Amino acid sequence: MLKVALILFFILPGFLTTAYAQEDVMKKLLSSKSLKCTSQNGSIAKWKDGKLRIETDRSASTIHFDSIDLQNKTARGIGNQGASDEVLIVTASGITFIEQTGMGSPVFTTVFPYRNKEGDFIAVTLRHMDLVGLFPSQYHGTCKKWD
């Protein structure tokens, strides 16, 4: 019984501190009205002759999510291909922005309630493209609160 009490005494406060810190980051994310997201590292899946080949992609991209409205679950995405209306899904994992491109392909960006060393939110973008064949990709990056 003493071992359990000691474990709880020394370990539980660390878990609680982490949980409270995480809750604070989530509140900051959910209060964002504008996020500027950049990614630099990703991978592209290419299917040639029915065989999968994964390629690394280091091309940088930026998208600005503006007019974030959690109540109506909408936002405006502004990127290098123009602007689009975004649909939002808000969960304990963060905010996911969903875009349907002009070609009908879905693009998902999830901004997580975790921060890197610089204090930016961590984000992942998934593109489910079909441009003269399958062209799915995943990119990793960060988002700055821009409001």
Side-chain angles (χ1 to χ4, degrees), residues 6-108:
L6 287 173
I7 289 172
L8 289 175
F9 180 76
F10 286 107
I11 295 178
L12 191 58
F15 285 123
L16 292 175
T17 302
T18 301
Y20 285 123
Q22 199 59 32
E23 183 179 315
D24 185 49
V25 174
M26 183 64 157
K27 285 180 183 177
K28 288 181 181 175
L29 175 59
L30 293 178
S31 71
S32 300
K33 299 297 178 202
S34 185
L35 293 165
K36 186 173 183 182
C37 302
T38 57
S39 62
Q40 296 178 340
N41 295 310
S43 58
I44 300 170
K46 293 188 177 180
W47 293 87
K48 186 172 182 179
D49 299 325
K51 292 184 180 183
L52 173 64
R53 191 175 81 226
I54 306 290
E55 294 182 1
T56 300
D57 183 12
R58 299 206 189 290
S59 59
S61 68
T62 301
I63 187 163
H64 188 150
F65 296 108
D66 200 22
S67 303
I68 298 170
D69 183 343
L70 298 181
Q71 185 172 353
N72 291 312
K73 298 184 178 8
T74 60
R76 189 81 175 141
I78 305 161
N80 63 347
Q81 298 294 314
S84 64
D85 293 321
E86 310 277 328
V87 175
L88 306 183
I89 298 175
V90 181
T91 67
S93 296
I95 303 173
T96 298
F97 299 84
I98 303 171
E99 169 194 359
Q100 186 173 9
T101 68
M103 299 288 289
S105 300
V107 177
F108 306 88

